[in-house]
């Protein structure tokens, strides 16, 4: 089994990546392969609502000038998906939103491509607004008929400077529990 994660933070090794790597640690202990894709800081187009994905039904977005189609391909192949974003003005980054909108349309256009995949949102935050970002990601998972595991708290870690999140004991424990719960659920579904 494999979990692919998308880091929507432009800080490649920042707090968002550290949270995801904490989840990965638990998944890897259970023999689950992991892959982290850097999305933040890379120019991507938002969805243009052209509806070509519904016409073409080729599991791709018609916009091919960025890495979103590669991300969609990784999502299709994976058993589990993590979408991670820092909190920007009480929501997710534009790169994360572009992935959600374009992958969401492609998934719907191609007979619910992501149905029954295990999916989790991971959000880093300085102080407040993270629940809105967390909800935005989970809305994509739920409308795509994915299965979302819980943890011991919301999948949020707090910190400002890169590495600060490692001092958020509860946030790091939440990520460990999330990794354990994702592994358990993936094994039940794919058993």
């Amino acid at each position: 089994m494999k979990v692919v994660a998308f880091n929507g933070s432009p800080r490649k090794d920042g707090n968002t990546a550290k949270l995801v790597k904490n989840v990965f640690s638990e998944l890897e202990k259970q023999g689950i392969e992991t892959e982290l894709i850097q999305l933040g800081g890379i120019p991507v187009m938002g969805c243009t609502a052209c509806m070509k994905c519904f016409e073409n039904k080729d599991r791709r977005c018609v916009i091919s000038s960025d890495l979103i189609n590669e991300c969609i391909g990784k999502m299709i192949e994976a058993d589990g998906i993590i979408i991670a974003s820092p909190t920007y003005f009480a929501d997710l980054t534009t790169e994360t939103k572009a992935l959600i909108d374009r992958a969401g349309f492609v998934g719907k256009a191609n007979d619910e491509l992501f149905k029954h995949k295990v999916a989790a949102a991971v959000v880093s935050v300085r102080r407040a607004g993270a629940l809105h970002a967390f909800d935005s990601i989970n809305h994509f998972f739920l409308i795509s008929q994915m299965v979302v595991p819980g943890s011991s708290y919301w999948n949020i870690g707090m910190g400002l400077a890169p590495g600060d999140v490692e001092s958020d004991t509860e946030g790091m424990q939440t990520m460990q529990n999330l990794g354990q719960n994702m592994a358990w659920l993936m094994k039940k579904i794919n058993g």
Side-chain angles (χ1 to χ4, degrees), residues 66-82:
D66 59 25
L67 79 144
I68 296 295
N69 279 324
E70 178 184 335
C71 294
I72 292 169
K74 299 263 185 194
M75 293 168 79
I76 292 168
E77 294 170 6
D79 303 289
I81 299 166
I82 295 172

Side-chain angles (χ1 to χ4, degrees), residues 140-167:
F140 164 62
F141 294 150
L142 296 173
I143 200 168
S144 299
Q145 301 183 51
M146 293 189 236
V147 183
V148 179
S151 187
S152 49
Y153 201 69
W154 310 124
N155 306 336
I156 296 166
M158 296 182 72
L160 176 58
D164 281 356
V165 76
E166 293 172 321
S167 298

Side-chain angles (χ1 to χ4, degrees), residues 2-142:
K2 182 175 182 178
V3 171
V4 63
F6 301 92
N7 180 12
S9 173
R11 294 180 177 167
K12 183 178 180 184
D13 296 313
N15 289 321
T16 307
K18 291 187 184 311
L19 293 170
V20 170
K21 289 176 183 174
N22 205 12
V23 178
F24 276 4
S25 177
E26 295 300 318
L27 292 167
E28 290 163 0
K29 286 178 190 174
Q30 297 293 319
I32 296 170
E33 183 184 345
T34 61
E35 181 179 8
L36 181 59
I37 306 294
Q38 181 61 35
L39 180 64
I42 297 170
V44 294
M45 289 278 301
C47 180
T48 62
C50 69
M51 309 305 279
K52 291 290 184 187
C53 53
F54 283 88
E55 288 177 33
N56 297 338
K57 295 188 179 291
D58 61 358
R59 298 176 161 205
R60 299 179 56 78
C61 176
V62 71
I63 300 168
S64 60
S65 59
D66 59 25
L67 79 144
I68 296 295
N69 279 324
E70 178 184 335
C71 294
I72 292 169
K74 299 263 185 194
M75 293 168 79
I76 292 168
E77 294 170 6
D79 303 289
I81 299 166
I82 295 172
I83 295 180
S85 180
T87 305
Y88 281 19
F89 290 88
D91 213 334
L92 35 81
T93 63
T94 57
E95 298 92 339
T96 308
K97 182 63 171 149
L99 174 65
I100 286 171
D101 289 348
R102 288 172 57 196
F105 260 112
V106 169
K108 288 285 180 197
N110 290 274
D111 300 319
E112 302 293 344
L113 283 176
F114 311 120
K115 186 176 183 177
H116 298 153
K117 290 185 184 286
V118 176
V122 170
V123 176
S124 62
V125 65
R126 180 189 67 84
R127 184 171 176 88
L131 282 181
H132 186 77
F134 181 71
D135 287 344
S136 292
I137 298 168
N138 279 315
H139 291 156
F140 164 62
F141 294 150
L142 296 173

